[in-house]
Amino acid sequence: MVKRGNTQRGAGGVVFAPVRWVFKLLFWAFCAVVLLQLWYLAQITYWARFNPSSTSFMNIRLEEMRKTDRSAQLKHEWVPYDQISMNLKRAVVAAEDSGFMNHYGVEPEAIEVAIQKNQRRGKVTHGGSTITQQLAKNLFLTSKRSYIRKGQELVIAFMLEAIWGKRRILEVYLNVVEWGNGVYGAQAASRYYYGVNASQLNAAQASRLASMLPAPRYFDKRRGSPFLARKTATVQARLYQVAVPK
């Protein structure tokens, strides 16, 4: 005997209540995902004209710092795109994403290579991220590596490319990327490492800052690293081989 409360009879026969609840859960999960994407879209649209005061990565890092020092503050000062040295713009693109001006936020070849590396290692260690993807992650997500996070990163990257364009993407990236322990953005990094404004960075200084990415805290403690010196020389040699937004 089947209890009335546990079944729902339809034209096709009997459907057990647990199945019905699975469909309901899937429906509400789908709605939650759609609402989340709309929230990201709204934020991105707003930030097309207004500068973000902080990012997900900045908030997470500040919380970590305050576990040992409750008065800790981040070093961060926004500067407009035109007040950032062209040397730094070129250096960051040369170091992080030489095809920045030519893709739509994602480079499939780089992602394919990253997937192959991850499969060999048995875990997610590489992402093949463009500058746009890095910005998507910094603004909204966490540093935890997973294919689900990578998928969300790709969706946000496409939104950024569609709504902002290259100049705004690079401007925001240069103003929010981490450049040391609690140091965020080009202006704070320029003052922290060289005692100058972001507009005054020369080719060597800009190349060194770009070479610290994506491990700035590591190189903040190892500024004399031979690897960092070699990478700096490589980036500086490529400085004028890349295109950047005007």
Side-chain angles (χ1 to χ4, degrees), residues 82-126:
D82 291 334
Q83 294 180 26
I84 300 174
S85 167
M86 183 61 74
N87 290 318
L88 185 60
K89 296 168 189 173
R90 291 184 180 277
V92 167
V93 170
E96 292 294 290
D97 186 4
S98 59
F100 176 66
M101 294 296 290
N102 301 316
H103 61 63
Y104 295 97
V106 175
E107 285 196 308
E109 296 83 1
I111 294 177
E112 184 178 352
V113 170
I115 291 174
Q116 291 172 355
K117 290 181 178 179
N118 294 336
Q119 289 175 339
R120 287 196 297 268
R121 299 190 179 191
K123 59 181 179 180
V124 181
T125 59
H126 292 74

Side-chain angles (χ1 to χ4, degrees), residues 115-183:
I115 291 174
Q116 291 172 355
K117 290 181 178 179
N118 294 336
Q119 289 175 339
R120 287 196 297 268
R121 299 190 179 191
K123 59 181 179 180
V124 181
T125 59
H126 292 74
S129 295
T130 62
I131 283 175
T132 310
Q133 289 174 255
Q134 292 180 46
L135 178 58
K137 178 178 63 178
N138 288 358
L139 285 172
F140 295 109
L141 308 175
T142 71
S143 60
K144 184 178 179 181
R145 297 178 184 271
S146 72
Y147 286 117
I148 293 177
R149 195 217 68 186
K150 177 59 66 174
Q152 180 63 82
E153 180 185 299
L154 295 177
V155 173
I156 296 172
F158 284 126
M159 292 181 188
L160 291 172
E161 290 279 343
I163 297 174
W164 286 6
K166 298 295 184 180
R167 179 185 167 104
R168 181 59 172 169
I169 289 170
L170 189 57
E171 178 184 31
V172 176
Y173 179 85
L174 290 172
N175 271 287
V176 303
V177 69
E178 184 182 36
W179 250 307
N181 187 25
V183 181

Side-chain angles (χ1 to χ4, degrees), residues 13-35:
V14 176
V15 178
F16 288 97
V19 176
R20 182 183 59 190
W21 282 106
V22 167
F23 280 110
K24 283 188 176 182
L25 289 174
L26 289 174
F27 172 76
W28 288 114
F30 173 78
C31 291
V33 170
V34 171
L35 288 173

